[in-house]
């Protein structure tokens, strides 16, 4: 059971980071190009914030809880477990309150011919994506290192 939980846990982190890296890599090109394509890109990004990252986050929490419950070496009070929970909570809050709404706004700005406003929205999404990626990366290091186990 532990192997299955850990495998799904790792896949969810890979999905989160992979989604972030892909979006950061492609967003600038879509934002600088055709407004119709940029609008479609940000509509897709908004859906990712609502669906893709939500699924990864829920599975991350469920498998994380399962890993703690099925292990005598650490507990919910272990530092790395706390760091992991905090990272997922921050990710959920920023996904709901920032990434989804800001991507929808960028899509609307590009659709309505306000490409410069769309690029500003894209820039703020990129900045927050870097912060989110740093948080997830710190949590990853904490997990691998078993900080304060």
């Amino acid at each position: 059971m532990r192997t299955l939980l850990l495998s799904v846990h790792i896949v969810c982190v890979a999905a989160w980071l992979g989604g972030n890296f892909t979006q950061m890599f492609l967003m600038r090109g879509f934002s600088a190009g055709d407004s119709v394509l940029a609008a479609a890109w940000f509509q897709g990004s908004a859906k990712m914030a609502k669906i893709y990252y939500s699924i990864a986050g829920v599975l991350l929490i469920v498998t994380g809880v399962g890993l703690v419950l099925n292990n005598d070496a650490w507990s919910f009070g272990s530092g790395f477990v706390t760091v992991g929970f905090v990272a997922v909570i921050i990710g959920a809050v920023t996904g709901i309150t920032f990434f989804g709404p800001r991507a929808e706004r960028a899509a609307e700005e590009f659709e309505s011919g306000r490409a410069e406003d769309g690029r500003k929205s894209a820039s703020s999404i990129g900045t927050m994506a870097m912060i989110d990626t740093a948080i997830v990366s710190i949590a990853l290091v904490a997990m691998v290192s078993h900080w304060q186990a």
Side-chain angles (χ1 to χ4, degrees):
M1 182 59 136
R2 181 184 181 283
T3 300
L4 176 63
L5 289 171
L6 184 58
S7 297
V8 173
H9 198 71
I10 291 169
V11 166
C12 291
V13 173
W16 190 345
L17 285 174
N20 280 12
F21 288 132
T22 300
Q23 289 200 64
M24 287 188 292
F25 181 77
L26 293 175
M27 183 171 46
R28 178 170 282 176
F30 277 103
S31 297
D34 180 81
S35 288
V36 173
L37 291 176
W41 170 260
F42 285 105
Q43 288 167 355
S45 293
K47 286 181 184 173
M48 282 185 74
K50 293 176 182 174
I51 300 167
Y52 177 86
Y53 287 105
S54 295
I55 293 169
V58 167
L59 288 174
L60 203 53
I61 288 287
V62 168
T63 57
V65 167
L67 286 165
V68 172
L69 292 175
N70 288 298
N71 191 307
D72 295 329
W74 50 76
S75 69
F76 289 107
S78 298
F80 72 96
V81 174
T82 301
V83 170
F85 276 114
V86 169
V88 174
I89 290 166
I90 291 170
V93 169
T94 57
I96 292 166
T97 64
F98 180 81
F99 287 112
R102 188 60 58 99
E104 289 172 344
R105 183 167 103 189
E108 188 276 322
E109 289 166 343
F110 281 110
E111 284 175 338
S112 66
R114 299 186 339 261
E116 192 55 40
D117 291 336
R119 285 186 198 87
K120 288 178 185 173
S121 291
S123 178
S124 66
I125 291 169
T127 300
M128 281 299 292
M130 285 187 268
I131 293 168
D132 182 70
T133 301
I135 291 168
V136 176
S137 297
I138 290 166
L140 177 64
V141 169
M143 295 287 161
V144 171
S145 303
H146 291 135
W147 286 356
Q148 299 178 350

